[in-house]
Amino acid sequence: MTTRRTIAPEELDTLNLADPRLHAESDLSAVWHHLREHQPVHRNPATDSAPGFWVVTRHADVTSVYRDNTVFTSEGGNVLETLLAGGDSAAGRMLAITDGDRHRQLRRILLSAFSPRALEPIVASVRRTVERLLREAIEKGSCDFAADVAAGIPLGAICDLLGVPDRDRAYVLSLTSSALGSHEADSTAADAWIAKNEILLYFADLARDRRDSGHADVIALLAGSQVNGLPLDDDEIMLNCYSLILGGDETARLSMVGAALALLEHPDQWQALKRGDAAIDTAVEEILRWTTPALHSGRTATTDTEVGGHLVRAGEIVTIWNASANQDERIFDAPGELRLNRTPNKHVTFAYGPHFCLGAYLARAEIGAVLAGLRDLVAQMEQTGPAKPVYSNFLSGLSTLPLALKAA
Ligand code: HEM
């Protein structure tokens, strides 16, 4: 179905884990297994253009780094791309790359928009969208599950949250695809940079329009809130809108496409879902573990410290690999098997601790809607063409998955 070269542990010394091609084109599970067993805290060497960084692979070490945002700060960046470039200019202003009291206050403001009660109308609309998109795909006979089904779901929900007008949604989607992951092997950092700046400009305009507008969306919520007794400025509003769209669009999309692929590749699990032997909520957790759309998170050590018995010096970059922790045999029984009724399922797909994903409830509802839609509306799925991976050292999954869906 998808052909990826398996990398053997012996090749470890030749690998650069910051290389997007490596993650897109190869299967690293043997390397992760080797690292967890023999070098749970590994050093990815410096290159001519970028510093070296620590690679943390065991579940216990990953959660202990996530838990402590005093010793391991996100303010130097929280993904390799920005950490290796020397930092992120939005640090201290955008939720995911802010720590301390300011993070707690900003998070409290945003949490009110992400409670199950607040999300009720958005989740209802997600379910309607999933049903419509699946019925359209079934009617057409064949579809690209990524572009024709998955792409319309999370972005629609975030645009609802932010109050983005319908006419702008296709434009925002095209920008988010090139800003974070990449659908082409040869697209450059400059393309991503341009897309990011266009998103920022778009939200700066929207934030200006929304001040005192009486709207009831997240932009208006941010515009009406205070941190440390001061209102958020336009830049802070714009950056936090940007972080919702980049954090919640492609990640969720990739897990939905990954869900379809996983069901295709595991007919027994597809049948279990269809028979009702696997409950949707439990299956969602396994799909999240199985797909792990955010491969890693990154931190900077603020003081000399230890991770898994290794000395890490102040100022060094520490990357924690969800992709490896979610396969850790110390936590998961037969981690290499897809088991839709797996419980417990302590995956770290949404991170852990103070930066735990703000959109986890929404993402779970979206993936659940897709699984329920496939179960109820689709009798049979067949892959009709080659799948294509996204090229990223942060995001993992497919940008294209041609499928034929037959009605139930
Ligand atoms: C944080 C993954 C969906 C918004 C995070 C983090 C991860 C993550 C790993 C922690 C980053 C870090 O510690 O540096 C995912 C995955 C998703 C998903 C895999 C889908 C399957 C969403 C959605 C939204 C969202 C739907 C919003 C609409 C955020 C925000 C943060 C965050 C705002 C920062 C929280 C904080 O720093 O306090 N997400 N996410 N995510 N996510 Fe998600």
Side-chain angles (χ1 to χ4, degrees), residues 391-402:
Y391 282 79
S392 167
N393 60 22
F394 167 60
L395 290 172
S396 168
L398 300 176
S399 62
T400 303
L401 179 63

Side-chain angles (χ1 to χ4, degrees), residues 27 50 56 65 73 78 84 109 119 145 147-148 160 206 237 277 310 318 323 327 330 333 338 357 373 385 404:
D27 175 358
V56 180
V65 173
T73 181
N78 72 333
L84 296 182
I109 295 169
L119 288 171
F145 196 82
D148 299 333
D160 282 349
L206 207 57
I237 296 172
D277 292 350
H310 259 268
V318 178
Q327 293 287 326
R330 288 156 199 77
D333 184 27
L338 178 78
C357 177

Side-chain angles (χ1 to χ4, degrees), residues 20 23 62 67 152 195 198 247 314 355 377 379 394:
H23 297 281
V62 164
R67 193 182 294 123
E198 287 186 32
H355 287 282
L377 303 175
F394 167 60

Side-chain angles (χ1 to χ4, degrees), residues 77-330:
N78 72 333
V79 288
L80 270 171
E81 190 194 338
T82 46
L83 283 160
L84 296 182
D88 193 318
S89 58
R93 293 184 295 162
M94 190 195 273
L95 185 70
I97 44 174
T98 298
D99 277 314
D101 195 42
R102 201 171 173 80
H103 174 256
R104 273 189 295 277
Q105 290 190 42
L106 200 50
R107 189 171 165 102
R108 203 174 311 128
I109 295 169
L110 282 164
L111 270 175
S112 64
F114 283 87
S115 69
R117 157 96 56 101
L119 288 171
E120 230 170 74
I122 291 173
V123 169
S125 148
V126 162
R127 294 199 179 114
R128 286 193 298 274
T129 307
V130 169
E131 192 178 326
R132 175 176 56 79
L133 293 171
L134 281 176
R135 285 193 193 284
E136 283 169 11
I138 292 166
E139 208 154 288
K140 274 204 309 186
S142 64
C143 69
D144 174 358
F145 196 82
D148 299 333
V149 180
I153 302 162
L155 189 75
I158 299 165
C159 287
D160 282 349
L161 268 169
L162 294 172
V164 173
D166 282 347
R167 63 174 184 278
D168 297 344
R169 294 188 179 199
Y171 170 68
V172 173
L173 174 68
S174 71
L175 293 179
T176 60
S177 306
S178 34
L180 244 203
S182 172
H183 294 186
E184 303 302 330
D186 57 358
S187 82
T188 62
D191 295 334
W193 188 84
I194 292 168
K196 257 180 210 172
N197 280 292
E198 287 186 32
I199 296 176
L200 289 172
L201 286 175
Y202 175 81
F203 282 111
D205 280 350
L206 207 57
R208 262 191 300 275
D209 281 358
R210 288 295 154 79
R211 264 198 201 282
D212 311 317
S213 66
H215 279 72
D217 51 53
V218 169
I219 299 182
L221 171 74
L222 288 167
S225 300
Q226 297 195 339
V227 170
N228 291 335
L230 292 171
L232 298 171
D233 62 27
D234 284 353
D235 275 6
E236 285 168 313
I237 296 172
M238 155 187 101
L239 287 168
N240 283 292
C241 293
Y242 164 77
S243 95
L244 292 187
I245 220 152
L246 292 186
D249 175 33
E250 196 151 13
T251 45
R253 241 192 294 160
L254 291 170
S255 59
M256 290 170 200
V257 183
L261 182 71
L263 295 173
L264 265 174
E265 290 183 334
H266 299 85
D268 61 319
Q269 295 299 296
W270 172 222
Q271 288 314 318
L273 184 75
K274 285 203 71 70
R275 280 195 309 267
D277 292 350
I280 295 291
D281 289 356
T282 319
V284 166
E285 298 309 310
E286 180 67 343
I287 290 297
L288 285 162
R289 183 189 75 88
W290 189 254
T291 56
T292 315
L295 289 168
H296 74 272
S297 297
R299 302 289 189 257
T300 307
T302 55
T303 174
D304 287 2
T305 184
E306 258 192 29
V307 181
H310 259 268
L311 174 66
V312 171
R313 297 223 177 260
E316 288 184 334
I317 297 169
V318 178
T319 57
I320 41 186
W321 289 80
N322 305 322
S324 173
N326 278 346
Q327 293 287 326
D328 192 337
E329 355 353 61
R330 288 156 199 77

